[in-house]
Amino acid sequence: MRRRRRPPRPAALALLGAAPLLALLPPLSAPGVSDGTLATAAGAARWGLTARPRRRRAAVLRRFFFEALESAEAQLARAARAGDAQRVQELLSQGARIDEPSGQSKATPLIGAAANGHAAVVELLLDAGADAEVGLESDGPLRPGGATALFIAAQQGHAQVVELLLRRGAVADAARGDGLTPLDIAKKKGNEAVVGLLEGRAAPER
């Protein structure tokens, strides 16, 4: 009967010159930990590894293996949606085009930040010259485009973002392709705080 060879421990891997690779990869799994996550600091010490939160490991892997394949504009759009102000600032300083649309709906970074309620990123993008009046090319297969950052923020009920956009000069009654205004969509969605911000700012009905 053939004996199964045990996998080499980290010390053996280091001797084989694999230490630089280990720094980029998630920690190796230990016995009794099915998902490859070290359960305790004691378990990590036993195997000579450093326990790291899975979220941090995922961020490192994404930065090294995925962002290298993306354009600066795609990275900017993703950072804006995630509310990562530091990364947004880095990409803008590196020359990423601020109003470049992305995704099926062709949303700008400003729209992505507004849709997710990231007021700090919205302000950062506006300070850098983002155009608040650029709208989506489409808003799903059954709805027309034209929704601006203000419209999307009103739809999602992000009152702080709505107030910020209005203060920075966004057109309050900029309608979507079907004629709905930010005030209309806020009323339809029952976003009372947003309705209060928008009432009186839109042009009166004729």
Side-chain angles (χ1 to χ4, degrees):
M1 182 175 178
R2 297 180 61 184
R3 296 179 61 185
R4 295 179 60 185
R5 297 182 61 184
R6 297 178 63 183
R9 293 192 178 186
L13 290 174
L15 291 175
L16 294 174
L21 293 177
L22 290 175
L24 296 178
L25 298 175
L28 298 175
S29 60
V33 183
S34 59
D35 66 352
T37 302
L38 295 174
T40 63
R46 175 187 173 190
W47 288 89
L49 301 174
T50 301
R52 298 177 184 174
R54 283 185 295 175
R55 185 174 300 176
R56 182 181 175 188
R57 295 203 308 272
V60 171
L61 288 173
R62 182 169 62 247
R63 177 68 61 86
F64 280 97
F65 294 102
F66 294 105
E67 287 189 358
L69 304 177
E70 288 184 322
S71 67
E73 287 70 33
Q75 294 179 49
L76 177 61
R78 182 155 49 79
R81 291 194 301 270
D84 189 343
Q86 180 178 351
R87 184 62 178 150
V88 167
Q89 183 63 67
E90 289 175 358
L91 290 163
L92 290 174
S93 66
Q94 293 167 12
R97 294 188 295 275
I98 196 168
D99 288 324
E100 185 75 9
S102 63
Q104 292 184 344
S105 62
K106 300 301 181 184
T108 64
L110 181 64
I111 291 175
N116 289 282
H118 300 310
V121 174
V122 168
E123 187 162 28
L124 176 60
L125 291 167
L126 290 171
D127 288 342
D131 187 348
E133 305 313 318
V134 176
L136 298 176
E137 288 190 12
S138 65
D139 191 13
L142 301 178
R143 290 180 294 189
T148 62
L150 178 62
F151 187 100
I152 298 297
Q155 178 176 296
Q156 298 300 108
H158 298 312
Q160 185 180 4
V161 173
V162 169
E163 191 278 331
L164 172 60
L165 288 165
L166 290 171
R167 179 160 43 86
R168 298 295 294 268
V171 178
D173 58 351
R176 193 170 62 180
D178 57 1
L180 281 180
T181 66
L183 178 58
D184 294 332
I185 197 67
K187 288 180 176 179
K188 184 176 181 179
K189 296 293 184 179
N191 298 327
E192 297 301 326
V194 174
V195 170
L197 290 169
L198 290 168
E199 281 185 329
R201 291 177 177 265
E205 295 183 2
R206 296 179 179 178

